[in-house]
Amino acid sequence: MYSDLMNWAQSVQREELAAWIAAHRENPPGALFEAADALRRRVYGDRVFFRGLIEFSNICARGCRYCGLNASQTSLHRYRMTEAEIVCAVSAGYRRGFRSFVLQSGEDPYYQSPRLVSVVAQIKEQHPDCAVTLSAGEMSEALYRALYDAGADRYLLRHETADAEHYAGLHPAPMSFQHRMKCLRTLKAVGFATGAGFMVGSPGQTDERLAGDLLFLRAFQPHMAGIGPFIPAKGTAFEAEPAGSANLTVMMVALARLMLPLATLPATTALGALGGRDRALLAGANVLMPDLTPPHYRADYKLYDGKAEVDAQVDQMVREVEALGLTADFSRGDPLG
Ligand code: SAH
């Protein structure tokens, strides 16, 4: 029965949750994973939603200290797909059966503009039966609204950490925790199915802060939550920091499932890079995002090191899902809550 653990997760307070994480981080109880898996199956069945990921620009104006694409990375080869290339990549995915796409990028001023609105409108015109998710950072309310009005269905903007001091340690000014929170509230108010989330093991993270991240998710009730391990990226301030733990990440996914029964939760690419993707799919996660970025751009979209090598092929991912006794689902896969 998962209901006892679910009731606990729905009501536990911060101090107790932090102590629980500290006590179990090395050896999480199997009952947690079983409860998260049972709940996921009851709400969503055995389907794993496939979303085609298109990384349309790695140009970025921000200074996020953990990110391999941040503005001060000088040795990185920068690219920006044209509007036509983005629409083509979606159409190619459509022909392979995808009906759900995630358009992700650095915070590229060129596309933080009506140009992205135009891309969304073109995709929706050509493929009205597809869900379009954007993951392109902080923008004005007016632009978020224009993107939504053009037909974008969902928006992913991880909160990264729910602790203002920790946030400031990860993101130099002018980025601010207050503004990130404002953007998340705006996205929800505009009407997007909204995604939040955080990295596990980011420098400065503590068990108290991790507990705070989960409780933020519980309070905000996003429709989606991306939880992946921090992986050091060359050339960044954090290049020598240790990676986050795959085990701890899976534990966070399971706890997030118990707190967000109706949300869709990806088994993230970063977790896949550390070999934890299957475990996440059996502990509450129900989304995979194969990389459909045209191959000649892919190698340059390095949020962290080793990523180009882990780009998994769609067929292999389908087999992986089937080997777990789950079903690959290429539909829109709307979040239920
Ligand atoms: N620029 C957009 C989308 C790209 S970044 C945005 O900021 O929302 C997408 C996510 O990748 C970030 O939210 C962050 O949580 C994650 N990420 C960035 N660098 C990472 C790293 N070194 N290790 C693991 N995840 C990272």
Side-chain angles (χ1 to χ4, degrees):
M1 274 302 284
Y2 56 80
S3 51
D4 288 353
L5 266 168
M6 190 172 120
N7 289 338
W8 171 77
Q10 299 271 344
S11 60
V12 66
Q13 295 300 302
R14 188 181 159 113
E15 243 171 74
E16 185 190 342
L17 182 57
W20 194 93
I21 293 169
H24 295 96
R25 60 186 296 147
E26 300 303 333
N27 196 9
L32 171 68
F33 302 136
E34 286 160 26
D37 190 46
L39 179 57
R40 192 291 300 261
R41 282 174 202 269
R42 197 181 104 182
V43 174
Y44 279 103
D46 65 2
R47 291 167 297 158
V48 174
F49 298 123
F50 276 57
R51 323 252 188 244
L53 175 65
I54 296 161
E55 296 154 334
F56 62 90
S57 167
N58 71 354
I59 295 172
C60 192
R62 304 265 179 200
C64 307
R65 294 197 171 94
Y66 45 83
C67 184
L69 305 185
N70 78 41
S72 52
Q73 292 284 82
T74 46
S75 62
L76 186 68
H77 174 252
R78 302 283 177 171
Y79 73 88
R80 173 190 290 141
M81 289 168 65
T82 65
E83 292 187 30
E85 284 174 323
I86 300 170
V87 177
C88 267
V90 167
S91 295
Y94 189 93
R95 288 192 296 274
R96 291 173 82 163
F98 285 87
R99 296 295 178 267
S100 174
F101 296 91
V102 178
L103 307 189
Q104 195 187 73
S105 69
E107 302 212 14
D108 179 353
Y110 179 90
Y111 273 123
Q112 291 191 329
S113 74
R115 294 186 187 98
L116 191 56
V117 179
S118 154
V119 171
V120 170
Q122 290 174 59
I123 293 170
K124 281 292 184 166
E125 192 186 311
Q126 293 190 23
H127 306 295
D129 52 337
C130 287
V132 172
T133 303
L134 300 173
S135 171
E138 298 185 4
M139 301 183 205
S140 68
E141 176 169 353
L143 192 48
Y144 282 153
R145 205 171 283 286
L147 291 163
Y148 183 77
D149 290 342
D153 301 270
R154 311 176 191 146
Y155 204 104
L156 307 173
L157 185 71
R158 290 187 178 177
H159 66 283
E160 311 295 0
T161 171
D163 180 295
E165 199 181 311
H166 188 207
Y167 192 93
L170 298 176
H171 308 91
M175 292 182 80
S176 78
F177 177 69
Q178 285 69 25
H179 194 256
R180 175 71 44 144
M181 289 292 138
K182 184 167 175 255
C183 285
L184 279 166
R185 285 192 300 270
T186 301
L187 287 165
K188 245 191 175 184
V190 162
F192 284 108
T194 302
F198 57 96
M199 288 175 288
V200 175
S202 62
Q205 192 171 66
T206 60
D207 293 336
E208 286 69 30
R209 285 172 168 167
L210 268 180
D213 286 324
L214 289 167
L215 295 193
F216 168 73
L217 292 181
R218 189 174 78 190
F220 185 66
Q221 287 287 312
H223 307 81
M224 306 166 283
I227 300 172
F230 161 75
I231 301 179
K234 273 199 202 66
T236 64
F238 296 150
E239 70 176 358
E241 298 288 332
S245 142
N247 283 334
L248 186 59
T249 304
V250 177
M251 181 166 130
M252 291 300 127
V253 170
L255 287 167
R257 167 57 68 204
L258 296 178
M259 293 178 178
L260 304 172
L262 301 180
T264 52
L265 301 180
T268 56
T269 313
L271 183 55
L274 299 188
R277 199 161 61 196
D278 288 4
R279 274 180 291 148
L281 290 173
L282 296 177
N286 63 340
V287 169
L288 285 175
M289 300 188 355
D291 193 346
L292 304 187
T293 309
H296 55 288
Y297 291 127
R298 229 183 262 178
D300 294 320
Y301 199 85
K302 287 188 180 165
L303 296 174
Y304 44 83
D305 294 345
K307 183 166 175 295
E309 292 73 39
V310 301
D311 288 335
Q313 290 308 303
V314 178
D315 293 350
Q316 189 202 314
M317 278 185 166
V318 170
R319 282 197 296 274
E320 181 183 326
V321 161
E322 287 170 352
L324 297 172
L326 300 166
T327 313
D329 186 309
F330 284 75
S331 72
R332 283 175 54 101
D334 286 301
L336 297 175

